[in-house]
Amino acid sequence: MKRLPDRRSLSTRVADLIRDEVLGGKWKEALPGQRALADWFRVSRPTIAAAIAQLRRERLLRVEPGRPSCVLRSAASRRSRPAASRTIRVLSALPFDNLSYRSLYCFCELERRLAEEGYRIEIHSEPVLRKAHPFAMLERLARMPPAACWILHGARPEIHAWFARRSLPVVLTSAAEEGLDLPFVDFAYAAMARHAAGLLLRQGHHRVGLLLNRHARVGERCLERTLREEIEVRAREAGRLFTFEQDDAPDSIGRAMARAREGASAVSVMVATGTGAAMSALGHLAQEGVRVPRDLSFLCCQDDPLIQCHVPDVTRYRGSLRGFARAMQRLTLDVAAGSAVRRNILLMPEFHRGATLAPSR
């Protein structure tokens, strides 16, 4: 377990002080005005405003323009309840040395943003969760002091279902399986697939290949399904999507790329769902003397700093890492406060034209 340092902002420390005064009975009905509080704590009024906004999100205060902030719960009722947890636990089924740049960036940015709201992040890397029977590990984690929210990353559907059965506060870093009503943040794969299908068909690509991990996530399976429907509907009999499953190992990707260029399954464009698979596929094509995009066009549905260094510039969809972290922060805070109005957040990536997509010959 990695415990990250507590980096609380000034507004969070002031919010803690105001909360202590309210729970101690100093302000039972309403707070003094912001000017008086600024003088009391010797801070600026914007700092007071930020602290009051945090306590409003905790449902300790009600804020109305032009009126003093109203105390929603009495000190006696608050003292009778255990203190709310200020811990967010990230549970990753992937080892730290196997996390993508996107995941690492998101966790670091999330830690910084949540610290400003007074929360502490604990990151648990538990590769045993990828095994067939991980539930003993989950039971041990469940006996730890309660968390305000769990964030599940890279976990299988049965892990999601376990948290759902326990009614634990949780946010997923990818779309939930159908039938599991769990909040998540993910990219809008269906919208991406519709855009990609229209783009490829306008370029004359009717035989499209999809390089897909055989253990693909819900969003990637949605991309496959939507891409197939769009291509077959728009191009009718001429349109065809070929799915080439692989396990992200270089030799597996090499065999998939060989099948994509031979016989009845030969395609004019290859779509990769991940950057690792894309880089490996492009390397195999270069080794075989295949010229991209002259001999085969290429499109990737993700982005990271490594693929940005490839020559030629890869045509791809660029999801905002900062936007993903902001969305995770908003949803995590909502779930931690027990007020998750948004059950999921879908983010639409930006299309980057690059130089690996050309009209079909």
Side-chain angles (χ1 to χ4, degrees):
M1 180 188 74
K2 299 289 185 181
R3 187 181 296 274
L4 299 178
D6 185 8
R7 303 173 184 151
R8 299 186 303 161
S9 65
L10 178 58
S11 63
T12 296
R13 295 197 294 270
V14 172
D16 291 342
L17 294 173
I18 294 175
R19 188 188 305 106
D20 290 342
E21 296 290 1
V22 169
L23 300 183
K26 182 177 181 65
W27 297 310
K28 297 180 180 179
E29 302 295 333
L31 299 187
Q34 291 190 13
R35 188 183 299 278
L37 288 172
D39 292 340
W40 178 276
F41 292 109
R42 297 184 180 181
V43 296
S44 66
R45 290 186 65 183
T47 299
I48 293 294
I52 288 175
Q54 176 177 327
L55 296 174
R56 177 186 59 79
R57 288 192 294 270
E58 296 176 12
R59 296 186 175 182
L60 181 66
L61 303 177
R62 183 176 69 244
V63 180
E64 298 179 4
R67 293 188 176 185
S69 300
C70 179
V71 176
L72 292 180
R73 304 180 206 177
S74 68
S77 66
R78 294 286 296 208
R79 281 198 299 268
S80 66
R81 302 176 182 179
S85 173
R86 308 297 292 178
T87 299
I88 306 293
R89 290 199 181 99
V90 177
L91 182 57
S92 174
L94 302 174
F96 286 116
D97 59 359
N98 200 28
L99 289 177
S100 66
Y101 172 84
R102 185 179 76 174
S103 299
L104 291 172
Y105 176 91
C106 180
F107 292 157
C108 290
E109 184 69 5
L110 192 60
E111 185 270 335
R112 182 185 69 80
R113 290 174 174 274
L114 290 176
E116 294 176 353
E117 302 291 342
Y119 287 92
R120 180 181 68 254
I121 280 189
E122 294 178 0
I123 301 181
H124 300 259
S125 174
E126 304 291 352
V128 70
L129 296 179
R130 306 183 72 182
K131 296 184 177 180
H133 301 286
F135 301 106
M137 168 65 71
L138 292 174
E139 293 292 345
R140 287 197 295 272
L141 292 174
R143 289 194 291 271
M144 297 176 67
C149 182
W150 291 81
I151 297 175
L152 301 187
H153 178 68
R156 303 199 311 269
E158 53 265 38
I159 307 297
H160 298 171
W162 186 90
F163 275 82
R165 288 194 301 270
R166 291 298 191 92
S167 298
L168 294 172
V170 64
V171 172
L172 311 182
T173 61
S174 61
E177 291 283 342
E178 186 176 354
L180 288 180
D181 186 24
L182 296 176
F184 64 83
V185 178
D186 205 349
F187 292 105
Y189 283 97
M192 193 191 316
R194 286 190 289 270
H195 181 275
L199 175 70
L200 297 178
L201 291 175
R202 286 195 300 273
Q203 299 250 1
H205 294 287
H206 292 159
R207 297 175 63 83
V208 179
L210 179 65
L211 193 61
L212 187 69
N213 187 288
R214 58 173 50 94
H215 303 296
R217 299 174 303 167
V218 173
E220 293 162 345
R221 291 293 180 186
C222 175
L223 182 140
E224 178 193 23
R225 183 172 58 254
T226 308
L227 196 59
R228 186 182 308 280
E229 292 171 354
E230 291 290 314
I231 289 174
E232 292 179 354
V233 167
R234 295 188 188 188
R236 300 182 181 179
E237 290 86 1
R240 184 81 183 275
L241 177 72
F242 297 86
T243 298
F244 301 95
E245 292 196 349
Q246 43 77 31
D247 59 12
D248 280 353
D251 57 344
S252 176
I253 294 172
R255 290 192 296 270
M257 295 305 298
R259 294 196 305 274
R261 296 185 291 107
E262 297 174 352
S265 60
V267 300
S268 63
V269 60
M270 178 63 75
V271 179
T273 57
T275 54
M279 292 294 290
S280 182
L282 289 166
H284 279 287
L285 292 175
Q287 192 173 46
E288 295 297 324
V290 178
R291 296 165 295 183
V292 177
R294 181 174 177 177
D295 300 329
L296 181 71
S297 285
F298 202 92
L299 172 66
C300 184
C301 296
Q302 283 189 6
D303 184 38
D304 69 16
L306 180 60
I307 205 169
Q308 294 171 15
C309 300
H310 189 273
V311 178
D313 186 19
V314 178
T315 302
R316 60 192 183 274
Y317 289 93
R318 300 190 300 193
S320 169
L321 300 184
R322 186 171 298 175
F324 194 93
R326 282 199 301 265
M328 284 295 301
Q329 176 207 17
R330 293 198 305 271
L331 192 53
T332 300
L333 288 175
D334 282 347
V335 171
S339 58
V341 177
R342 296 179 297 271
R343 297 308 299 170
N344 54 68
I345 299 176
L346 293 175
L347 306 172
M348 184 61 197
E350 172 191 5
F351 176 68
H352 176 72
R353 187 164 299 278
T356 59
L357 180 62
S360 176
R361 290 178 176 270

